[in-house]
Amino acid sequence: MRILLKLSGEALAGEKKTGFDEATVRGVAKQIKEIQKGNEISIVIGGGNFWRGRTSGDMDRVKADQIGMLATVMNCLYVAEIFRTEGLGAEVFTPFTIGTMTTPFSKDAAIASLKAGNIIFFAGGTGHPYFSTDMGTVLMALQIEADSVLLAKSIDGVYDSDPKVNPDAKKFDEISLSKVVEMGLKVVDTTASALALENKMPFMVFDLNEENSIVKALSGEFNGTKVTV
């Protein structure tokens, strides 16, 4: 099975809410190691533990988004290195050249790296402003022909409203992508939802901080929300 795992930057920061929490990242690495056999795994990481462009005030949107892209590169380089220390092969791809630190993305190179047994990271989003890491996640999943996107968030699934605001918010065990778009639910942003719907790319949404949540996403113990096509 070929999967693309989207990790939120905030979730990797743990209780600190910013930067990295090494214990959390090592926990992710150990889970990836457990599920690697029989699966080809790629990863996208958000940059919210360092930078959130939409809260950057009067800054030019293009520049704010470029800073966000670089935040995702820092995250992927760090997490990839932690993975290597845990005995996992790792390679970071970007849509733009960053010296010798990353590999320029191509579909053939990425799939070859997967088949060689590496965990591959897609950093830098789409390489263009105005597109979020959600959009980059769906776009990369489609390009490498992934079977599913796993969305590891700081919330345990998809709700009909924000559970942090509405204590009576209803959680869905399963919901269709068309319903997500119709109801305007923010599983991923609207553009990414539309692209996933058009190309029939399913999601699994779960809480990264739940014990063994990534392992459970690929087993019968899944406690999050399945977003179907």
Side-chain angles (χ1 to χ4, degrees), residues 99-117:
T100 58
M101 288 183 279
T102 64
T103 303
F105 171 77
S106 78
K107 175 178 178 176
D108 291 345
I111 290 177
S113 192
L114 284 172
K115 291 188 177 299

Side-chain angles (χ1 to χ4, degrees), residues 100-156:
T100 58
M101 288 183 279
T102 64
T103 303
F105 171 77
S106 78
K107 175 178 178 176
D108 291 345
I111 290 177
S113 192
L114 284 172
K115 291 188 177 299
N118 292 321
I119 309 301
I120 64 173
F121 293 80
F122 297 123
T126 67
H128 298 283
Y130 294 95
F131 292 101
S132 68
T133 50
D134 287 343
M135 185 63 170
T137 296
V138 176
L139 184 61
M140 290 297 103
L142 292 172
Q143 289 194 75
I144 65 167
E145 301 175 32
D147 297 299
S148 183
V149 171
L150 275 56
L151 298 173
K153 295 176 170 276
S154 54
I155 188 171
D156 64 347

Side-chain angles (χ1 to χ4, degrees), residues 67-86:
I67 295 170
M69 291 177 212
L70 293 176
T72 71
V73 174
M74 289 193 297
N75 279 344
C76 286
L77 288 172
Y78 175 82
V79 176
E81 186 55 29
I82 294 294
F83 276 32
R84 290 187 189 104
T85 66
E86 292 289 338

